[in-house]
């Protein structure tokens, strides 16, 4: 991890935490999911930097070492998109100052999004296409809140998304445990291939047997890093974005995304979301991403970039080398 450097950048009134590896104008911006954080990209950052790219992983506003927004309950995906645009603007000025005499307002970056981190990546690619060289997502095909989002009315009663969308419910559930146990439980629960559905007399944390060990690819040291970061930020913003702002319609009409890759674990529980397997396997998603490449990893689960890092790194670097035009 000594190859990864850390700093804060002032963006739209907040200090966002950045982890960086590599140098130069070929920026690859990694966007995390939940309960992940910049650290979830540790394996990919070093590999991508070694391949000649500048790897940058952020903590979204309200996550980890980044500042909290002033009103977390009003945060939404547009905030994350605007933060990313401002961040790329900052990088553009830095690169133009160091490497040329021409001032650049924006640079074109390659986005890599995992879980809900794919949503701002999709929105950025649709709304600000000039800033995006290409797009890789892990665990989620093309989905944006609104008409191309998750169909909440089809989700089973007691499903974790519905439970965590209720103000106060996840806070009470999580509050029964220390932060480390909450992260441990979520990693164990979402490493499985089944949907996370609680009974009427249960909360989501109750679905995990306390004696269940961590997945073999996720160490106690890894857990300590996550726990430390979430002790700093708490879960207040993390529950708002994504879970309590996903039903919003962000006004995107007829979206199209170019140069995309989807990496999907065959054992990712997301495949069992209503309609998702047909959406991906029957090519319905290609109406939004006509040239989409999909790679299904037979043993991959929801945390495939941490579970199978060497395989994922190879897929990402091969795709970058083929498509990067920044």
């Amino acid at each position: 991890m000594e190859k990864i450097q850390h700093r804060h950048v002032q963006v739209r009134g907040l200090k966002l935490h950045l982890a960086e590896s590599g140098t130069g104008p070929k920026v690859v911006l990694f966007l995390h999911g939940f309960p992940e954080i910049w650290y979830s990209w540790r394996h990919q950052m070093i590999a991508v930097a070694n391949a000649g790219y500048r790897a940058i992983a952020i903590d979204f506003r309200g996550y980890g070492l980044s500042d909290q927004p002033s009103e977390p309950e009003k945060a939404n995906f547009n905030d994350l998109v605007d933060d990313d645009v401002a961040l790329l603007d900052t990088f553009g000025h830095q690169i133009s100052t160091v490497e040329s005499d021409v001032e650049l307002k924006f640079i074109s970056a390659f986005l890599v999004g995992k879980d809900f981190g794919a949503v701002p990546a999709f929105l950025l690619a649709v709304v600000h296409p000039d800033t995006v060289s290409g797009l890789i997502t892990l665990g989620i095909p093309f989905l944006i809140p609104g008409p191309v989002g998750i169909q909440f009315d089809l989700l089973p009663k007691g499903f974790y998304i519905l439970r965590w969308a209720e103000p106060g419910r996840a806070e009470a559930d999580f509050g029964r445990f220390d932060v480390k146990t909450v992260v441990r439980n979520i990693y164990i629960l979402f490493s499985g291939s089944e949907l996370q559905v609680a009974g009427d007399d249960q909360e989501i944390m109750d679905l995990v047997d306390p004696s269940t060990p961590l997945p073999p690819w996720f160490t106690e040291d890894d857990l300590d890093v996550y726990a430390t970061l979430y002790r700093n930020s708490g879960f207040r913003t993390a529950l708002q974005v994504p879970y309590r702002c996903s039903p919003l319609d962000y006004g995107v009409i007829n979206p199209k995304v170019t140069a995309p890759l989807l990496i999907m674990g065959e054992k990712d529980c997301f495949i069992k979301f209503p309609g998702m397997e047909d959406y991906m396997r029957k090519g319905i998603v290609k109406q939004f991403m006509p040239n989409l490449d999909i790679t299904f990893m037979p043993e991959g689960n929801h945390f495939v970039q941490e579970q199978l890092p060497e395989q994922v790194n190879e897929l990402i670097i091969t795709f970058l080398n083929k498509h990067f035009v920044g």
Side-chain angles (χ1 to χ4, degrees), residues 104-251:
L104 305 174
K105 184 176 182 181
F106 290 108
I107 59 170
S108 179
F110 219 104
L111 308 181
V112 184
K114 160 69 170 56
D115 188 66
F116 90 83
V119 176
F122 291 139
L123 288 170
L124 189 60
V126 170
V127 179
H128 301 281
D130 291 344
T131 69
V132 178
S133 290
L135 178 63
I136 299 172
T137 63
L138 293 80
I140 289 189
F142 184 81
L143 292 173
I144 53 176
V148 196
I150 293 172
Q151 295 176 284
F152 287 88
D153 58 325
L154 299 180
L155 298 177
K157 181 183 178 183
F159 194 43
Y160 82 96
I161 287 179
L162 300 179
R163 289 289 183 90
W164 291 353
E166 296 180 33
R169 186 153 194 170
E171 289 87 339
D173 185 12
F174 294 0
R176 298 178 294 156
F177 308 94
D178 59 35
V179 170
K180 186 174 181 178
T181 300
V182 172
V183 176
R184 173 191 288 270
N185 286 351
I186 294 174
Y187 257 86
I188 290 171
L189 189 60
F190 286 80
S191 293
S193 59
E194 299 301 317
L195 295 181
Q196 304 78 20
V197 182
D200 291 342
D201 60 346
Q202 291 180 307
E203 297 299 333
I204 298 301
M205 291 291 102
D206 298 328
L207 298 177
V208 181
D209 183 337
S211 66
T212 304
L214 287 171
W217 43 266
F218 192 77
T219 69
E220 287 288 343
D221 288 342
D222 294 331
L223 179 60
D224 286 340
V225 173
Y226 281 96
T228 298
L229 292 169
Y230 274 103
R231 286 190 196 104
N232 183 72
S233 65
F235 297 105
R236 187 179 177 187
T237 304
L239 289 168
Q240 172 64 22
V241 184
Y243 300 104
R244 295 171 187 168
C245 69
S246 290
L248 299 177
D249 188 334
Y250 291 82

Side-chain angles (χ1 to χ4, degrees), residues 299-319:
E299 297 301 316
N301 64 31
H302 190 61
F303 301 105
V304 68
Q305 85 278 21
E306 296 181 272
Q307 175 201 12
L308 302 170
E310 292 184 3
Q311 296 177 43
V312 170
N313 292 350
E314 183 178 355
L315 289 170
I316 289 176
I317 291 168
T318 299
F319 202 76

Side-chain angles (χ1 to χ4, degrees), residues 53-114:
Y53 298 92
R54 181 182 181 188
I56 298 170
I58 66 172
D59 289 343
F60 284 126
R61 57 171 51 210
Y63 279 78
L65 299 177
S66 289
D67 284 351
Q68 293 286 336
S70 59
E71 297 180 285
E73 289 76 16
K74 294 183 179 180
N76 60 54
F77 285 115
N78 278 340
D79 290 316
L80 307 190
V81 171
D82 291 344
D83 288 348
D84 292 340
V85 170
L87 201 59
L88 293 177
D89 188 16
T90 298
F91 296 150
H93 284 297
Q94 289 175 347
I95 291 170
S96 65
T97 300
V98 172
E99 300 188 6
S100 75
D101 295 328
V102 179
E103 182 174 326
L104 305 174
K105 184 176 182 181
F106 290 108
I107 59 170
S108 179
F110 219 104
L111 308 181
V112 184
K114 160 69 170 56

Side-chain angles (χ1 to χ4, degrees), residues 26-74:
K26 293 184 176 181
V27 172
V28 181
L29 181 61
F30 291 90
L31 306 175
H32 65 79
F34 177 82
E36 295 151 301
I37 214 82
W38 78 264
Y39 184 77
S40 65
W41 297 113
R42 59 198 179 279
H43 304 298
Q44 287 68 50
M45 291 182 68
I46 293 173
V48 164
N50 287 341
Y53 298 92
R54 181 182 181 188
I56 298 170
I58 66 172
D59 289 343
F60 284 126
R61 57 171 51 210
Y63 279 78
L65 299 177
S66 289
D67 284 351
Q68 293 286 336
S70 59
E71 297 180 285
E73 289 76 16
K74 294 183 179 180

